Amino acid sequence: HYKESNTLTLENALPSSTYDPNKYFEFTVDGKNTNTKYDIYYDIVLNYGDNHATRTTRIRDELLKFRLVTVTNNVETEIFDSQSYSSINNKRIHAATIPKNTTNEITHTYRLYAWISNDTLIGNVSGADYSSSEWDDVYASVKVSVTGDFAEKEVARPINQVINTTTKDTGIKFYEISSSTNGQGLYMMESTENDTYPIYYYRGNVDNNNVYFAENCWKIVRTTSTGGLKLVYNGAATIVDGEKQCLETTGTGTQLSVGTKEFNSSYQSPAYVGYSLPESSKRYSQSTQSLNSTTYYGSSVDQATYKLVDPVLELNDTHHYSYNSDDPDATGISGDTGNVRYYYYKSSASGTSGTGYFIKFDKTKSVSTILDEMLTESNSKNNPSTIQGVINDWWGTGGENSLEAKYSEYLEDTEWCNDRSIASLGGWSPTGTLYSSSWKDYSIVFNERVRYDQEAFGSDANNIRNTNTPILTCSRPVDRLTVANGNLTYPIGLLTYDEVALAGASWSNGNSNFYLYTYQFYWLLSPSNFSGVCANVGDVYSSGDLNGYRVFNTNGVRPALSLKSGTQILRGEGTKTKPYIITED
């Protein structure tokens, strides 16, 4: 039986970012099934409703948004949110069963919310979806219908109902690789157990996390804090007897066919660990100079007189500033731009010889201000990294035929953490080391999400930031890359160190027996360090371990994206030969 308990009417509705929680259409499906062999399957379908009495223009399908929930004792459980009418596969919004041998009546209650997308532009301006007069003629009308039968068939299921488990990750050592005794399968991250959306993730040598979506194959990595599903690219599908299969496991076929690419073509600034970059004037690329015994260096620059403070004739760990002058008072210096040289590294331990590495900036600034500009300010979608540009071109090129145009409705604008917080400044501190046989003493070392200690590698106490839990949150708001924040063009990125550690990798310890091993080098999103002369970003080595790589080198490209909470799995089992099917092309 299908019953409606109310009618949802939204008079004079305007575009909105979400639904009105007080206005919904509630309906129930109930019945009992005494059949001993078959379940009753039923589909809930959304179709056009009646024409409006006076208006003649239906609002465009992609601008009409819906949220569907089930209700038990007035508590809602979300099935999907923010799906447009155009993105709903075959207009089927839900499928469920009344099991066989059901002697008592079973009632399923649903609520459907509707609103107009906040992306709708109304007005007499160029590019508007509707002029003011056209908007006066727009209407929306939909109806719900339910069909059911006893036929054996696969039922579309929301991802939230499929990718979950009660198995916690208690006891897994994330500083060691995955194995049959150190995690293999689907896990709940124990620290998120009480969250609205606990984090579930795959680890080890699993073969039930394959997905076909947007004309390509993907691997499920984990769920997100908003109930979405993060996927990583895994190559093109193979068609066998008319069915799509995801058979790629290793080799270049698991990467974009564009070949290996640089993370950034420029590298001589800490700014180039960014997935989105500051404007060019805020990058401060390095220069070099042969050191001599006649140049003065100061511990700082006096901001009233602009003279060097405590000038000496030897570049050392407490005297990093210079005007490249033999005048200790810098009396011949004029103007503000590019006069100060800040030395952060030198190539020789002896005081007055070797090569000095420096950046130049306005004498009214400090090195901390410069670091903020390189790593915090003005990181926008208008200045994408080289690797982001490659991914944007792959996803967004082609107009109406682009992947973006056809599949963007399925994606959530999740946060991509390009964590550029600093663990150690090295020579970038005014009292920091300028030369050492250990690169980490003079280099910027970023707070790699999977933390390691170069001298005590392998010790439990010196990995994963001195804990045993990879971190999926992003501490600095500026490093949370989203379309909404203005630092991404599309909601697509790369995996982080921590996500690959969850999957089964560890630092400098090869693992060929987990699902993200491909026998290839490929880029990650996590910054590693600025090692004196070059920015380095995380990657997965061909041996299946985590490491860092110079940004100007080339690696494979495996984009990642996140499906919205409630996205339907049409069919499949998640295996290579029967992947979960999200979209029918």
Side-chain angles (χ1 to χ4, degrees):
H1 306 109
Y2 168 78
K3 301 176 183 178
E4 301 172 2
S5 59
N6 72 325
T7 299
L8 171 61
T9 303
L10 303 174
E11 293 288 350
N12 300 317
L14 290 173
S16 172
S17 60
T18 188
Y19 58 92
D20 183 338
N22 299 311
K23 294 183 178 181
Y24 51 81
F25 174 61
E26 186 168 291
F27 59 95
T28 63
V29 178
D30 62 61
K32 62 182 179 180
N33 180 10
T34 58
N35 188 286
T36 59
K37 185 177 180 181
Y38 297 115
D39 297 334
I40 295 176
Y41 291 84
Y42 66 86
D43 296 333
I44 303 174
V45 180
L46 199 63
N47 288 310
Y48 282 151
D50 297 334
N51 293 332
H52 195 275
T54 59
R55 298 184 178 188
T56 60
T57 304
R58 286 185 185 270
I59 193 168
R60 295 208 308 269
D61 291 349
E62 68 270 21
L63 300 179
L64 190 58
K65 297 277 191 173
F66 296 96
R67 176 178 187 252
L68 183 67
V69 301
T70 58
V71 185
T72 304
N73 296 325
N74 210 35
V75 176
E76 296 185 348
T77 301
E78 185 177 282
I79 297 175
F80 66 75
D81 187 20
S82 296
Q83 290 243 28
S84 72
Y85 189 84
S86 60
S87 69
I88 298 171
N89 293 316
N90 301 318
K91 303 302 173 262
R92 181 170 66 176
I93 59 176
H94 188 54
T97 64
I98 298 176
K100 57 181 174 287
N101 293 323
T102 304
T103 56
N104 296 320
E105 197 86 1
I106 290 180
T107 300
H108 296 162
T109 302
Y110 302 90
R111 287 175 184 168
L112 183 69
Y113 296 84
W115 68 100
I116 298 166
S117 171
N118 205 34
D119 293 333
T120 309
L121 181 60
I122 306 163
N124 300 319
V125 295
S126 176
D129 296 299
Y130 299 98
S131 67
S132 299
S133 59
E134 288 172 337
W135 183 251
D136 290 338
D137 187 52
V138 167
Y139 76 97
S141 175
V142 295
K143 63 182 179 182
V144 170
S145 60
V146 175
T147 60
D149 59 43
F150 288 101
E152 295 281 6
K153 63 180 178 181
E154 293 185 275
V155 178
R157 298 148 289 168
I159 55 176
N160 314 59
Q161 294 179 8
V162 177
I163 314 301
N164 62 73
T165 182
T166 58
T167 303
K168 302 174 189 176
D169 55 10
T170 309
I172 293 178
K173 297 178 180 179
F174 292 103
Y175 47 83
E176 296 179 358
I177 64 174
S178 60
S179 68
S180 59
T181 58
N182 194 41
Q184 188 159 281
L186 179 63
Y187 291 90
M188 175 199 296
M189 184 178 280
E190 186 176 20
S191 60
T192 68
E193 180 179 9
N194 297 319
D195 293 354
T196 302
Y197 294 102
I199 300 296
Y200 307 111
Y201 64 92
Y202 285 93
R203 180 173 174 83
N205 188 22
V206 295
D207 189 27
N208 60 343
N209 62 337
N210 295 278
V211 169
Y212 179 81
F213 167 70
E215 303 169 23
N216 289 284
C217 289
W218 306 76
K219 293 281 189 181
I220 302 171
V221 177
R222 67 176 180 94
T223 62
T224 68
S225 60
T226 53
L229 191 68
K230 185 168 282 191
L231 313 177
V232 64
Y233 181 85
N234 200 53
T238 301
I239 308 301
V240 179
D241 295 331
E243 292 294 328
K244 302 173 182 73
Q245 298 186 357
C246 295
L247 304 180
E248 296 284 0
T249 55
T250 59
T252 57
T254 60
Q255 303 166 175
L256 293 189
S257 60
V258 295
T260 57
K261 296 294 181 179
E262 302 162 325
F263 192 92
N264 269 307
S265 55
S266 297
Y267 61 92
Q268 295 172 297
S269 163
Y272 291 111
V273 301
Y275 190 67
S276 290
L277 299 169
E279 59 189 68
S280 58
S281 65
K282 303 291 181 66
R283 298 177 196 174
Y284 298 99
S285 290
Q286 71 170 33
S287 298
T288 60
Q289 178 191 32
S290 296
L291 301 177
N292 60 64
S293 59
T294 62
T295 299
Y296 279 92
Y297 306 93
S299 58
S300 62
V301 173
D302 187 304
Q303 291 302 294
T305 65
Y306 302 129
K307 295 181 179 180
L308 296 176
V309 176
D310 185 26
V312 298
L313 285 169
E314 179 182 333
L315 179 64
N316 58 50
D317 291 350
T318 58
H319 290 74
H320 295 247
Y321 294 86
S322 177
Y323 285 109
N324 193 35
S325 169
D326 58 6
D327 177 3
D329 293 329
T331 53
I333 303 300
S334 62
D336 291 333
T337 303
N339 285 319
V340 175
R341 295 188 177 198
Y342 180 87
Y343 290 81
Y344 57 85
Y345 171 60
K346 63 179 181 178
S347 64
S348 172
S350 59
T352 58
S353 64
T355 301
Y357 292 75
F358 64 89
I359 56 171
K360 293 193 294 186
F361 52 85
D362 186 325
K363 63 189 179 185
T364 63
K365 296 181 179 180
S366 67
V367 67
S368 60
T369 299
I370 302 307
L371 283 170
D372 278 344
E373 291 184 3
M374 287 189 282
L375 301 173
T376 301
E377 291 186 13
S378 305
N379 294 282
S380 81
K381 66 180 181 182
N382 299 320
N383 300 305
S385 61
T386 303
I387 197 71
Q388 186 187 159
V390 170
I391 293 172
N392 287 350
D393 288 345
W394 168 74
W395 183 258
T397 300
E400 293 181 355
N401 293 319
S402 69
L403 298 177
E404 160 67 14
K406 292 188 283 188
Y407 303 106
S408 62
E409 289 282 352
Y410 292 87
L411 305 191
E412 66 169 355
D413 191 18
T414 194
E415 292 180 355
W416 300 90
C417 188
N418 184 215
D419 184 9
R420 293 165 297 162
S421 58
I422 295 173
S424 174
L425 280 169
W428 291 83
S429 166
T431 57
T433 302
L434 283 167
Y435 174 82
S436 171
S437 59
S438 173
W439 66 265
K440 74 168 191 172
D441 289 338
Y442 57 78
S443 299
I444 290 177
V445 179
F446 293 98
N447 263 329
E448 290 144 343
R449 309 318 305 267
V450 179
R451 192 75 185 93
Y452 72 98
D453 186 283
Q454 189 71 5
E455 266 65 56
F457 171 74
S459 169
D460 295 4
N462 290 294
N463 282 272
I464 319 293
R465 282 190 174 174
N466 296 321
T467 74
N468 186 40
T469 306
I471 301 169
L472 299 180
T473 55
C474 204
S475 58
R476 302 199 318 162
V478 70
D479 294 329
R480 301 168 191 167
L481 308 183
T482 67
V483 175
N485 288 345
N487 38 34
L488 291 181
T489 301
Y490 307 119
I492 301 179
L494 298 166
L495 297 182
T496 65
Y497 274 137
D498 285 61
E499 289 169 329
V500 183
L502 283 175
S506 70
W507 189 271
S508 295
N509 190 7
N511 184 5
S512 61
N513 201 31
F514 79 120
Y515 72 90
L516 290 180
Y517 167 78
T518 64
Y519 195 51
Q520 301 294 311
F521 292 81
Y522 58 90
W523 287 116
L524 300 177
L525 189 60
S526 303
S528 179
N529 57 74
F530 184 80
S531 62
V533 297
C534 184
N536 294 271
V537 169
D539 70 343
V540 176
Y541 270 24
S542 60
S543 51
D545 59 313
L546 295 170
N547 223 302
Y549 210 33
R550 298 168 182 168
V551 295
F552 64 82
N553 288 123
T554 60
N555 272 342
V557 187
R558 301 186 75 192
L561 50 79
S562 189
L563 300 177
K564 289 179 179 177
S565 174
T567 299
Q568 300 281 302
I569 294 173
L570 299 182
R571 63 179 186 277
E573 300 171 1
T575 62
K576 295 173 188 174
T577 56
K578 292 184 178 181
Y580 293 126
I581 303 294
I582 305 296
T583 53
E584 300 281 16
D585 301 330

